[in-house]
């Protein structure tokens, strides 16, 4: 079987790494196509190196631009590659513009499409990712749902039961496989002069939090109040979108909030694992905090990862203000610190390839 894996951004490289490894392990022909939606070394190259992935077979070099332009460029550039390479199946993961474009590219050519992390819904159509998820799910032939929750959502939206598979989330595979790599993880804390349980960690990059100067200012004021109240440093590896916004709006980080560049995956896992608390609006970080057993405060009105909230690992600050953030941080720090990981056993990639071997193999045979 020839499997094309399309990636474009930091989380896609991280979450597809175990799938790529599994495809190679089983001896299938692998084609990795990278849109280069993310291209800075610390958003891209570092992950290929650390996760020991070979360079992509194709790099579409689309870079940053407006949503329609970026999505359209990927679609235009991927079509001749798919026509030429004729993969048996195309796999995409998540909800980025790369995912939407590659999914459309495959569907228009009648190439079977598998969507990894299917069925997530925030029910917030202002989020660009929500449109990408809904469209990709509805044109995919294999919807790889994380839990029964996403399966029910997909069936409720009219998906045929026979095309939805509950497989878990590959982020568990990624986390476990990364922690198994033989690295000196302690060095990552020393780099920032941090001790286990002695700091908070932040990541914020959602368009709804950073593209509006007033909202971003409120986020900064809230982080300042949290750092002051608990006398904890907040380490913040700043996403490029956020960095651009801070510069554009001429906003400075408050004292107590320590800026860092985006880090590699092993470094970020170490920073998460040892943090007393994580403040985030990232999808993947909500999942990883939950897997690693670290309490999480999500600075968003909604989440498409409701399992994290249900198990007690994550609380949302729905309308961000200094008061509401402090209230949620108080609640989370006083709360339960033990919960069950709802995202699977680390064998999600194996299940995905099992299903493709069975289904795509059958269709071809
Ligand atoms: C994208 C995804 C988002 C995902 C995030 C992961 C969409 C609509 N959004 O958001 O779902 O959570 O990736 O991190 O697909 N930039 C750089 N270097 C890079 C990449 C981006 O400097 O390597 C800067 C550019 O100024 C760019 C901005 O970041 O304009 C935003 O990048 P973009 O890929 O458009 O969206 P993200 O916010 O990264
Ligand atoms: N991550 C990282 N370095 C960082 C911040 C995040 O390696 O400085 C990893 C993190 O461990 C997670 C993924 O990036 O696996 C999440 O990506 P991001 O927050 O950019 O996107 P989202 O998950 O919100 O789509």
């Amino acid at each position: 079987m020839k499997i094309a894996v399309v990636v474009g951004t930091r989380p896609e490289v991280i979450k597809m790494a175990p799938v790529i490894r599994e495809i190679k392990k089983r001896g299938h022909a692998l084609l990795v196509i990278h849109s280069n939606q993310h291209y800075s070394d610390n958003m891209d190259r570092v992950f290929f190196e650390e996760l020991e992935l070979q360079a992509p077979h194709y790099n579409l070099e689309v870079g940053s631009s407006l949503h329609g332009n970026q999505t359209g460029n990927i679609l235009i550039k991927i079509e001749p590659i798919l026509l030429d390479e004729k993969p048996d199946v195309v796999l995409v993961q998540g909800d980025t513009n790369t995912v939407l474009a590659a999914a459309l590219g495959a569907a228009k050519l009648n190439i079977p499409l598998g969507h990894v992390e299917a069925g997530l819904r925030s029910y917030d159509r202002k989020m660009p990712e929500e449109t990408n998820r809904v469209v990709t799910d509805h044109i995919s032939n294999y919807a790889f749902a994380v839990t029964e929750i996403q399966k029910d959502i997909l069936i409720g939206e009219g998906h045929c039961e026979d095309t939805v598979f509950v497989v878990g989330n590959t982020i568990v595979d990624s986390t476990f496989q990364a922690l198994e790599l033989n690295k000196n993880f302690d060095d990552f804390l020393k780099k920032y002069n941090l001790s286990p349980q002695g700091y908070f960690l932040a990541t914020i990059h959602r368009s709804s939090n950073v593209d509006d100067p007033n909202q971003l200012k409120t986020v900064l004021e809230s982080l300042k109040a949290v750092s002051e109240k608990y006398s904890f440093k907040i380490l913040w590896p700043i996403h490029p979108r956020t960095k651009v916004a801070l510069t554009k709006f001429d906003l400075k980080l408050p004292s107590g909030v320590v800026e860092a560049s985006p880090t590699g995956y092993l470094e970020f896992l170490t920073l998460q694992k040892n943090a007393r608390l994580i403040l985030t609006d990232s999808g993947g970080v909500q999942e990883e905090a939950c897997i690693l057993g670290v309490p999480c405060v999500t600075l968003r009105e909604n989440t498409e990862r409701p399992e994290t909230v249900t198990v007690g690992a994550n609380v949302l600050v729905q309308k961000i203000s200094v008061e509401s953030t402090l209230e949620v941080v108080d609640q989370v720090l006083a709360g339960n610190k033990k919960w069950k990981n709802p995202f699977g056993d680390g064998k999600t990639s194996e299940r995905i390839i099992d299903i493709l071997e069975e289904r795509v193999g059958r269709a071809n045979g």
Side-chain angles (χ1 to χ4, degrees):
M1 185 167 42
K2 185 171 186 179
I3 307 175
V5 172
V6 184
V7 294
T9 66
R10 168 167 80 182
E12 291 161 70
V13 177
I14 291 170
K15 288 176 164 178
M16 280 304 220
V19 177
I20 290 174
R21 286 188 198 113
E22 193 60 31
I23 294 170
K24 289 177 82 168
K25 196 168 126 195
R26 302 210 194 174
H28 294 295
L30 167 71
L31 183 71
V32 178
I33 304 173
H34 189 356
S35 71
N36 235 204
Q37 176 172 344
H38 282 177
Y39 46 84
S40 301
D41 275 359
N42 57 14
M43 296 297 287
D44 178 36
R45 189 183 51 79
V46 64
F47 302 106
F48 280 86
E49 280 181 12
E50 267 188 328
L51 301 176
E52 297 169 5
L53 301 173
Q54 67 187 73
H57 300 87
Y58 293 92
N59 190 323
L60 310 183
E61 296 183 345
V62 295
S64 306
S65 52
L66 293 171
H67 287 272
N69 193 296
Q70 189 175 54
T71 309
N73 266 329
I74 299 170
L75 180 53
I76 289 166
K77 289 185 171 184
I78 205 167
E79 189 171 53
I81 297 171
L82 296 178
L83 272 171
D84 193 38
E85 293 280 356
K86 299 183 182 49
D88 296 304
V89 59
V90 171
L91 288 182
V92 294
Q93 188 285 328
D95 53 21
T96 65
N97 289 342
T98 298
V99 170
L100 173 64
L104 285 170
K108 292 277 176 195
L109 295 173
N110 286 322
I111 300 173
L113 172 70
H115 187 203
V116 178
E117 214 180 82
L120 271 67
R121 295 289 180 272
S122 65
Y123 298 106
D124 175 1
R125 283 291 173 100
K126 292 195 297 304
M127 252 186 121
E129 292 85 357
E130 185 74 354
T131 305
N132 296 345
R133 290 180 193 121
V134 171
V135 175
T136 304
D137 281 340
H138 282 265
I139 58 177
S140 67
N141 307 76
Y142 309 100
F144 295 112
V146 177
T147 69
E148 294 291 335
I149 298 177
Q150 289 78 31
K151 179 175 177 178
D152 289 347
I153 289 173
L154 290 166
I155 305 281
E157 290 180 7
H159 259 263
C160 169
E161 186 140 11
D162 191 42
T163 60
V164 182
F165 308 89
V166 175
V167 293
N169 195 315
T170 60
I171 193 67
V172 185
D173 312 23
S174 308
T175 306
F176 289 178
Q177 289 175 19
L179 292 176
E180 273 164 21
L181 288 173
N182 189 19
K183 290 271 155 43
N184 193 353
F185 290 98
D186 291 347
D187 286 351
F188 295 128
L189 288 191
K190 285 191 200 131
K191 174 174 165 187
Y192 300 101
N193 205 11
L194 298 171
S195 52
Q197 298 295 305
Y199 63 96
F200 295 165
L201 180 68
T203 60
I204 289 141
H205 73 279
R206 286 261 98 75
S207 155
S208 56
N209 273 334
V210 308
D211 290 355
D212 171 56
N214 290 324
Q215 178 72 5
L216 185 52
K217 205 160 157 254
T218 307
V219 168
L220 295 178
E221 282 164 2
S222 304
L223 293 181
K224 177 172 189 275
V226 170
S227 166
E228 280 173 359
K229 173 156 183 192
Y230 290 97
S231 306
F232 267 73
K233 262 197 229 169
I234 302 180
L235 182 72
W236 184 3
I238 303 188
H239 188 285
R241 172 185 282 276
T242 313
K243 186 77 187 161
V244 168
L246 288 167
T247 309
K248 182 168 150 203
F249 305 139
D250 197 22
L251 293 170
K252 304 270 172 294
L253 294 199
S255 59
V257 179
V258 180
E259 172 170 354
S261 300
T263 76
Y265 186 48
L266 305 184
E267 182 166 336
F268 201 73
L269 276 181
T270 309
L271 291 170
Q272 287 184 89
K273 203 164 162 245
N274 290 288
R276 177 71 189 84
L277 175 88
I278 296 173
L279 299 126
T280 194
D281 61 12
S282 156
V285 174
Q286 289 174 67
E287 293 159 354
E288 284 165 350
C290 183
I291 294 161
L292 295 167
V294 181
C296 184
V297 169
T298 294
L299 299 161
R300 277 183 51 189
E301 277 179 27
N302 47 54
T303 180
E304 55 292 313
R305 274 98 178 163
E307 308 84 348
T308 58
V309 177
T310 312
V311 299
N314 186 17
V315 181
L316 306 186
V317 182
Q318 288 180 308
K319 175 104 188 64
I320 302 173
S321 68
V322 167
E323 296 73 27
S324 59
T325 309
L326 285 176
E327 201 178 299
V328 171
V329 170
D330 283 349
Q331 182 191 333
V332 168
L333 287 175
N336 173 27
K337 295 186 185 61
K338 287 227 175 328
W339 51 80
K340 197 169 170 296
N341 156 29
F343 294 117
D345 56 4
K347 294 186 172 26
T348 295
S349 317
E350 288 177 36
R351 272 182 218 108
I352 290 171
I353 306 303
D354 283 346
I355 292 161
L356 293 182
E357 283 177 350
E358 220 264 308
R359 295 297 184 104
V360 180
R362 195 168 68 191
N364 287 347

